[in-house]
Amino acid sequence: MNEKRFKLNIHIILIIAIIIVLGIAAYELLSWNHGEQLAFDPDEDTSEFDVEILDEIVPMNPAEYAGHTFDDETTVLLLGNGSLSFTRDDKDGLGALIADYAGVKVYNASFPYPTLATRNLAMIEQNYPDDIYSLTYLTDAICSGDFSEIDRVTSTYHGDGNFTQDSAKILKQIDYDNLDVIVIMYDASDYFEGRAIENPKDDEERCTIVGSLNYSIRRLRETYPYIRIIVSSLYYTEGRNSDGSVYDPDVVDAGNGTISNYFYNELNTCVDLSVSFVDNFYGTINQDNYRDYIDTDTDADYIRLTDAGREVLARRIAYAINKYQHDK
């Protein structure tokens, strides 16, 4: 009697292989979904991890200052707001520290409360006269040499405002033919005041931060191509609601984005324009260290830097000013 022999069919082999593969996949999926329990220590020191600093310090194109005669003194104009303005007359003020650390002559023409972008698309004096001190209007005055509107608004609305009056005077005293550097350094007031970030249909719209930078830097370059421009970015600080509760502006969208949206748009605009950019948001005063550099206990109506905050910012600006000495 012939014994029947079992033949292994190719289809059976394929079915077995599929079952094995599916079994392995199911096991891996279940293991991954179950996860691994990680212990988190909120007091752990993570300072050994580096933060990427997004500085873009670039030299000028020699063609931009070819034929221009420089004198022996490096002069720097500071345009901005907040602590830069309120500490102008202090020996340890931000402007004075920049002058010391960089070894340059500084003209501090910052105003107390303006933002980088204007509040209104056009100047509406009755609504917000301080728009005249925002960057684009300062640029118009600097490039035209006509400071009459700034003088008129200052006389009308800030007759007793020493900080504003002093800045208006300083702007007119500068010899722009011999000016070497302009540093633009506005704090995070644009975020907190709800200024728009950009208008895709108009990249020079004054009431957006992107438009303000585009408009101002382009005009300054056209008029004074030999002046080096450095943009010092906003820095981190906490936000406070009307009831006094604290919030993280890097999480809360104030209407036009979070604070980092403002930072990255500043950065990208400066990269597109090929001007130097100092990253203060990650590289100077950030979410981890801001309590050392920002006076969060004060009731001041501006972002107030501590002594340490002014020093750390001044050192960073001085570094950017002196990075390319051959530009002088």
Side-chain angles (χ1 to χ4, degrees):
M1 184 175 178
N2 292 332
E3 190 173 328
K4 293 183 178 180
R5 304 179 64 183
F6 176 75
K7 295 182 178 180
L8 194 61
N9 190 288
I10 185 64
H11 297 293
I12 296 175
I13 295 175
L14 289 175
I15 291 172
I16 294 172
I18 291 172
I19 291 172
I20 293 173
V21 170
L22 289 175
I24 294 173
Y27 173 79
E28 294 291 339
L29 179 62
L30 288 172
S31 299
W32 173 83
N33 192 49
H34 181 267
E36 178 183 357
Q37 186 172 3
L38 297 176
F40 172 69
D41 180 5
D43 298 322
E44 180 183 3
D45 181 10
T46 60
S47 60
E48 72 273 14
F49 298 107
D50 292 332
V51 175
E52 183 179 5
I53 299 175
L54 302 178
D55 284 349
E56 291 288 337
I57 312 300
V58 296
M60 289 180 66
N61 183 340
E64 295 175 326
Y65 55 86
H68 180 74
T69 302
F70 293 98
D71 58 21
D72 295 331
E73 184 178 41
T74 298
T75 54
V76 178
L77 169 62
L78 305 178
L79 300 176
N81 62 358
S83 272
L84 178 62
S85 176
F86 283 112
T87 63
R88 176 173 43 236
D89 297 329
D90 300 339
K91 292 181 179 180
D92 60 349
L94 186 49
L97 290 173
I98 292 171
D100 289 342
Y101 293 143
V104 299
K105 181 177 179 59
V106 163
Y107 296 100
N108 185 350
S110 57
F111 290 84
Y113 297 113
T115 46
L116 176 60
T118 59
R119 175 184 290 184
N120 300 307
L121 179 59
M123 183 67 183
I124 305 177
E125 185 175 325
Q126 296 79 3
N127 176 270
Y128 189 63
D130 277 16
D131 262 351
I132 199 70
Y133 308 123
S134 293
L135 183 62
T136 53
Y137 287 108
L138 296 183
T139 297
D140 286 340
I142 290 170
C143 292
S144 68
D146 182 1
F147 298 92
S148 59
E149 272 300 285
I150 292 177
D151 286 342
R152 187 186 63 78
V153 171
T154 300
S155 176
T156 303
Y157 299 97
H158 296 282
D160 57 351
N162 293 335
F163 293 108
T164 300
Q165 290 179 12
D166 289 347
S167 289
K169 293 175 182 177
I170 289 170
L171 282 172
K172 295 185 295 183
Q173 294 172 353
I174 298 171
D175 179 2
Y176 291 95
D177 288 335
N178 285 312
L179 186 66
D180 299 296
V181 182
I182 293 177
V183 177
I184 300 168
M185 48 189 314
Y186 289 82
D187 59 28
S189 295
D190 284 86
Y191 164 81
F192 291 111
E193 294 293 332
R195 303 291 186 255
I197 292 179
E198 65 175 334
N199 179 358
K201 296 183 179 180
D202 183 358
D203 74 345
E204 291 190 352
E205 189 166 274
R206 292 176 185 263
C207 59
T208 69
I209 61 166
V210 170
S212 179
L213 285 172
N214 277 328
Y215 179 92
S216 301
I217 292 172
R218 288 168 181 166
R219 298 300 176 277
L220 289 168
R221 275 181 159 174
E222 289 171 3
T223 309
Y224 305 106
Y226 49 83
I227 296 179
R228 187 172 177 220
I229 298 173
I230 300 171
V231 176
S232 174
S233 86
L234 57 81
Y235 39 86
Y236 183 89
T237 187
E238 65 188 27
R240 287 188 180 271
N241 295 306
S242 57
D243 62 1
S245 59
V246 175
Y247 66 89
D248 180 1
D250 205 19
V251 173
V252 175
D253 184 334
N256 295 291
T258 64
I259 193 172
S260 58
N261 293 134
Y262 285 76
F263 167 78
Y264 279 109
N265 275 277
E266 284 185 15
L267 168 61
N268 293 336
T269 303
C270 291
V271 170
D272 289 343
L273 294 169
S274 298
V275 297
S276 291
F277 179 84
V278 179
D279 167 17
N280 295 313
F281 190 70
Y282 296 109
T284 313
I285 302 176
N286 55 51
Q287 194 167 4
D288 294 326
N289 65 20
Y290 76 93
R291 290 181 182 86
D292 296 328
Y293 301 133
I294 305 291
D295 186 355
T296 58
D297 295 327
T298 183
D299 291 329
D301 52 355
Y302 66 97
I303 302 172
R304 183 173 178 175
L305 295 168
T306 63
D307 293 347
R310 293 194 301 275
E311 182 172 341
V312 71
L313 270 174
R315 290 186 183 278
R316 296 274 285 135
I317 301 303
Y319 152 77
I321 291 171
N322 289 327
K323 176 67 174 176
Y324 293 105
Q325 288 290 339
H326 63 274
D327 283 353
K328 176 64 177 158

